[in-house]
């Protein structure tokens, strides 16, 4: 008797001829796509490529104008169709914890989503324990969401998305604004659940280095898929070169308009000085005896996990927050002096508010020029439009600008009065790689030509490489400082060199390597490990295809120091315990 052929598994998602318009703007144009079950599928592309619209349509929270959408074998043609399938889906929108309730605790949020999804009580407790363990949120069930760090919010958001054990999870840029260690933890959680339960995950990202974590990925531009395949298929093309070819036409910043150049020589001593800064919020110490100095024209970076105290340090130095103890001087002014004395000499670009979204780009520039009493403001503004590459966007409402353009406008407003010091608090979070490159070209020009001192906080470790010097913070304290080169050399000496292993059973190998006390990270079927020379030979048994030497990165440095400070093994730290 002939053996029956097993039925072929239907794809998790099938899309044919999908179109979505917002007025005259076509966000998705005739898009075709199939996403297999049991894989981590990635969507990458420049700002405005249509990633978020596509994910919302797959999740059933946004209607489409034309075409066919089938999710888990259910056609989505109406609100009733979307309602019928929502119990089998989990959707996490873009933004740090935006779908969570800030006044509720970790436990209360989890219980709310469980009740919303009709999870039985006994099953809720079992899943709750598992999810709190793998997200490392078990010690914080009574902490309100508003008091969580960005990384903790994202991990709680993922736990709430998974509480009803969906077959398909849809995550829109879940790691944007999240520190490197929390990013690794989020990816480890997803990889483990996909392997355990044949869960399907569809994820968009603005981090090109995360592309290697997908089983397959699609590259979007202008609402169309222009390339698709495995990371290995697309790697020879160079994902970063794809991004730069697809981004808006770009001319590198070549000169500084004369009207922006100030008069006189820059100061010879430190322009920013922090001495034993302390900030307490009740019984909680956010900043603990932080000291550093920054010279004129230096680009100085503050790195650290979400909640490390970076923004608090910046706000104290800007005169927006009084220190509990310690001293600081910025551009020759005591940071505790009345606000107008210090604010005239600094520019500040905050994480949240810096622009009036209902005003046009030009109106925002006029407003800031007026606030600072800028002379010859028309000439200065035109120069800033050129410098920050805002031509063609002047009359557009700020809320409607692409994120990269909006951030360059915020920078223009922060430097309209030609300050001596500029503070930038995560200025490129969520911006695509070409947008970040343009932003940093401007920063370099300001530092080199005007000797403007720049203090920047960032979660992009590639941007950390651009800084002249760095301080790494953890729980309010500085735990490492130096040039990027010196920091990397110190980690090479202490932890060993980075090596990649190509393995067929990555999760089990990852556990074994961490059991050996090695810093190991999963990237799809590849594992990256920091290994001292005496352990190199032992690694060969795990990778029959050989060991691939890698260059050390600032992400290696970041993760090494934070794990060392926390005193946790990598297995516990990345949610891969039993």
């Amino acid at each position: 008797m002939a053996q029956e052929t097993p039925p072929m598994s239907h794809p998790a998602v099938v899309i044919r001829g999908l179109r979505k318009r917002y007025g005259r703007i076509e966000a998705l144009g005739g898009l075709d796509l199939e996403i297999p079950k049991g894989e981590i599928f990635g969507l990458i592309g420049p700002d405005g490529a249509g990633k978020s619209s596509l994910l919302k349509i797959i999740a059933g929270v946004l209607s489409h104008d034309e075409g066919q959408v089938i999710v888990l074998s259910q056609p989505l043609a109406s609100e009733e169709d979307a309602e019928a399938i929502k119990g089998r889906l989990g959707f996490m929108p873009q933004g740090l914890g935006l779908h969570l309730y800030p006044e509720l605790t970790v436990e209360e949020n989890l219980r709310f989503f469980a009740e919303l999804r009709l999870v039985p009580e006994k099953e809720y407790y079992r899943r709750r324990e598992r999810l709190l363990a793998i997200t490392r949120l078990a010690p914080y069930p009574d902490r309100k969401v508003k008091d969580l760090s960005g990384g903790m919010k994202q991990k709680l958001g993922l736990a709430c998305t998974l509480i009803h054990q969906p077959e398909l999870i849809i995550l829109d840029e879940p790691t944007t604004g999240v520190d490197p260690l929390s990013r690794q933890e989020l990816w480890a959680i997803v990889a483990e659940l996909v392997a355990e339960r044949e869960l399907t995950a569809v994820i968009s990202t603005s981090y090109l280095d995360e592309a290697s974590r997908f089983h397959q990925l699609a590259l979007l531009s202008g609402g169309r898929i222009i390339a698709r395949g495995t990371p290995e298929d697309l790697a020879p093309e160079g994902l970063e070169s794809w991004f730069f070819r697809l981004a808006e036409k770009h001319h590198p910043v070549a000169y500084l308009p004369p009207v922006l150049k100030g008069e006189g020589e820059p100061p010879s001593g430190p322009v920013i000085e922090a001495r034993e800064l302390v900030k307490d919020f009740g019984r909680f110490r956010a900043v603990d005896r932080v000291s550093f100095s920054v010279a004129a024209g230096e680009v100085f970076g503050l790195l650290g996990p979400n909640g490390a105290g970076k923004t608090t340090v910046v706000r104290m130095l800007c005169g927006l927050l009084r220190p509990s103890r310690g001293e600081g001087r910025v551009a020759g002014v005591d940071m505790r002096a009345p606000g107008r004395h210090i604010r005239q000499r600094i520019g500040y670009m905050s994480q949240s508010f810096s622009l009036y979204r209902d005003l046009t780009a030009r109106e925002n520039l006029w407003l800031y020029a007026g606030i600072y009493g800028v002379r010859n403001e028309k000439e200065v503004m035109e120069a800033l439009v050129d410098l920050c590459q805002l031509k063609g966007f002047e009359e557009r409402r700020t809320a409607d600008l692409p994120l990269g353009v909006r951030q360059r406008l915020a920078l223009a407003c922060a430097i309209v009065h030609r300050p001596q010091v500029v503070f930038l608090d995560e200025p490129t979070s969520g911006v695509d790689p070409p947008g970040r490159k343009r932003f940093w070209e401007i920063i370099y020009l300001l530092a080199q030509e005007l000797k403007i001192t720049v203090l920047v906080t960032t979660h992009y470790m590639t941007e950390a490489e651009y800084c002249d010097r760095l301080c790494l913070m953890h729980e309010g304290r500085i735990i490492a400082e130096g040039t990027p080169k010196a920091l990397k050399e110190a980690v090479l000496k202490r932890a060993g060199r980075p090596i990649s292993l190509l393995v067929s059973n990555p999760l089990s190998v990852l556990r074994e390597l961490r059991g050996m006390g090695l810093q190991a990270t999963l990237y799809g079927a590849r594992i990256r490990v920091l290994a001292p020379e005496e352990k190199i030979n032992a690694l060969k048994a795990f990778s029959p295809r050989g060991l691939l030497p890698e260059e050390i990165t600032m992400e290696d440095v970041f993760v090494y120091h934070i794990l060392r400070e926390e005193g946790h093994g990598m297995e516990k730290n990345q949610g891969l315990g039993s």
Side-chain angles (χ1 to χ4, degrees):
M1 183 175 176
Q3 187 175 1
E4 283 190 25
T5 303
M8 292 184 66
S9 175
H10 293 287
V13 178
V14 177
I15 291 172
R16 296 284 181 264
L18 179 63
R19 293 187 185 275
K20 176 62 184 177
R21 301 181 186 89
Y22 298 98
R24 296 181 180 179
I25 299 173
E26 187 173 66
L28 298 170
L31 187 145
D32 296 320
L33 179 65
E34 284 193 8
I35 298 175
K37 285 184 179 178
E39 290 193 357
I40 304 175
F41 191 93
L43 294 176
I44 59 175
D47 294 333
K51 303 185 297 295
S52 290
S53 294
L54 177 56
L55 292 180
K56 288 176 182 176
I57 289 170
I58 294 172
V61 299
L62 180 68
S63 63
H64 54 283
D65 299 314
E66 296 178 26
Q68 185 182 38
V69 178
I70 302 172
V71 178
L72 299 176
S73 302
Q74 168 70 53
L76 298 187
S78 65
E79 288 185 19
E80 290 75 18
D81 294 337
E83 186 70 19
I85 203 172
K86 73 176 185 181
R88 301 168 66 191
L89 304 179
F91 176 51
M92 187 170 158
Q94 190 175 342
L96 291 176
L98 287 185
H99 65 311
L100 301 174
Y101 293 86
E103 293 298 330
L104 298 184
T105 64
V106 168
E107 167 73 30
E108 289 166 342
N109 268 278
L110 270 173
R111 180 170 285 280
F112 172 80
F113 280 92
E115 290 177 355
L116 188 67
R117 298 295 197 171
L118 305 178
V119 177
E121 187 82 358
K122 284 186 179 179
E123 192 64 19
Y124 164 69
Y125 283 111
R126 187 183 70 80
R127 296 178 191 177
R128 169 192 177 277
E129 294 307 309
R130 166 75 168 144
L131 289 170
L132 288 180
I134 65 175
T135 56
R136 291 204 301 142
L137 292 173
Y140 314 107
D142 300 322
R143 184 174 292 186
K144 289 186 176 181
V145 166
K146 68 179 182 181
D147 298 324
L148 298 177
S149 69
M152 293 168 78
K153 286 178 184 175
Q154 291 303 79
K155 286 185 286 185
L156 176 59
L158 182 57
C160 290
T161 302
L162 294 166
I163 193 68
H164 63 296
Q165 291 194 343
E167 299 170 51
L168 169 66
I169 58 170
I170 301 156
L171 312 177
D172 193 0
E173 299 200 8
T175 56
T176 293
V178 174
D179 67 73
L181 181 56
S182 293
R183 282 172 60 200
Q184 290 192 9
E185 290 173 340
L186 279 161
W187 279 107
I189 294 165
V190 172
E192 182 174 16
L193 291 172
V194 167
E196 276 183 359
R197 301 205 329 252
E198 294 191 351
L199 176 77
T200 304
V202 185
I203 306 175
S204 68
T205 181
S206 62
Y207 293 89
L208 285 185
D209 63 319
E210 291 185 343
S212 61
R213 299 179 186 267
F214 299 122
H215 294 107
Q216 295 190 64
L217 57 91
L219 182 60
L220 271 69
S221 177
R224 291 172 173 79
I225 293 175
I226 60 167
R228 178 184 168 172
T230 67
E232 293 75 20
D233 292 336
L234 297 178
E237 296 289 341
L239 281 171
E240 188 158 326
S241 65
W242 273 109
F243 258 90
F244 283 92
R245 270 185 277 160
L246 298 172
E248 60 193 80
K249 191 175 181 181
H250 167 53
H251 300 286
V253 179
Y255 76 102
L256 191 75
V259 70
L260 297 179
K261 296 182 179 179
E263 297 177 358
E265 294 296 317
S268 56
V271 178
I272 301 175
E273 294 178 273
R275 303 191 200 101
E276 296 288 306
L277 284 181
V278 172
K279 183 59 184 178
D280 296 323
F281 294 98
R283 298 167 66 181
F284 173 66
R285 177 153 291 181
V287 174
D288 188 8
R289 293 173 297 167
V290 164
S291 299
F292 60 83
S293 64
V294 188
E298 194 170 19
V299 180
F300 185 85
L302 275 183
L303 307 181
N306 298 103
K310 306 181 298 294
T311 296
T312 304
V313 169
V314 170
R315 289 176 61 81
M316 284 193 288
L317 290 171
C318 289
L320 299 172
L321 197 61
R322 290 191 69 82
S324 302
R325 292 206 305 273
E327 299 177 332
R329 295 186 68 80
V330 178
V333 177
D334 190 318
M335 69 183 193
R336 292 169 296 188
R340 66 180 181 276
H341 293 292
I342 193 168
R343 288 173 198 163
Q344 198 64 33
R345 303 186 183 197
I346 68 171
Y348 176 44
M349 187 174 160
S350 70
Q351 283 183 31
S352 51
F353 172 79
S354 59
L355 296 172
Y356 294 86
R357 295 169 66 88
D358 287 332
L359 299 183
T360 66
R362 188 183 300 280
E363 288 167 341
N364 267 285
L365 280 168
W366 275 113
L367 177 64
Y368 277 89
I371 289 172
Y372 286 111
V374 175
R375 295 177 297 166
N376 61 340
E377 65 268 22
K378 185 175 180 181
E379 194 178 354
V380 170
M381 284 171 53
E382 290 305 316
L384 286 170
V385 166
D386 284 340
L387 176 67
C388 297
Q389 301 175 11
L390 300 172
K391 278 199 176 298
F393 298 102
E394 300 98 311
E395 309 308 326
R396 287 179 59 175
R397 196 171 73 107
T398 299
D400 299 329
L401 294 174
L403 182 57
V405 177
R406 193 158 67 232
Q407 295 303 81
R408 296 200 300 274
L409 172 62
L411 177 62
C413 291
I415 62 173
V416 69
H417 56 303
R418 288 162 286 181
Q420 295 178 38
V421 180
V422 178
F423 293 93
L424 307 172
D425 199 2
E426 295 186 28
T428 59
S429 183
V431 178
D432 65 26
R436 296 202 297 271
K437 183 175 188 294
R438 283 190 282 278
F439 193 94
W440 276 89
E441 284 175 352
I442 299 166
I443 293 302
Y444 271 139
L445 201 62
L446 294 174
Q448 292 171 0
E449 295 291 325
L450 293 187
K451 296 301 178 187
I452 288 179
T453 304
V454 179
L455 189 152
V456 61
T457 72
T458 182
H459 285 137
Y460 291 103
M461 293 298 101
T462 52
E463 293 185 352
E465 304 269 7
Y466 302 156
C467 297
D468 297 310
R469 285 190 304 124
L470 300 162
C471 274
L472 178 56
M473 293 184 65
H474 179 259
E475 293 185 351
R477 296 177 295 108
I478 292 176
I479 59 172
E481 56 185 306
T483 65
K485 181 181 178 183
L487 288 169
K488 287 189 285 187
E489 287 176 347
V491 170
L492 281 172
K493 185 176 180 180
R494 294 174 187 167
R497 54 193 172 101
I499 290 171
S500 276
L501 290 72
L502 293 170
V503 297
S504 56
N505 51 344
L507 285 173
S508 61
V509 171
L510 191 66
R511 290 189 181 97
E512 287 193 56
L513 293 174
R514 290 174 180 171
M516 294 166 59
L518 297 174
Q519 179 175 315
T521 309
L522 181 64
Y523 289 85
R526 178 172 63 90
I527 296 176
R528 180 184 174 91
V529 59
L530 289 184
E533 290 301 321
E534 63 270 19
K535 292 192 177 182
I536 297 292
N537 282 334
L539 296 180
K540 294 176 182 177
F542 295 102
S543 184
R545 295 166 63 182
L547 308 179
L548 304 174
E550 302 264 10
E551 293 293 323
I552 192 165
T553 66
M554 282 306 302
E555 183 159 327
D556 296 321
V557 172
F558 183 102
V559 173
Y560 168 80
H561 280 289
I562 300 304
L563 290 181
R564 187 165 174 253
E565 198 68 21
E566 291 187 351
H568 290 294
M570 287 291 286
E571 181 168 318
K572 181 177 179 182
N573 222 339
Q574 297 205 8
L576 288 172
S578 59

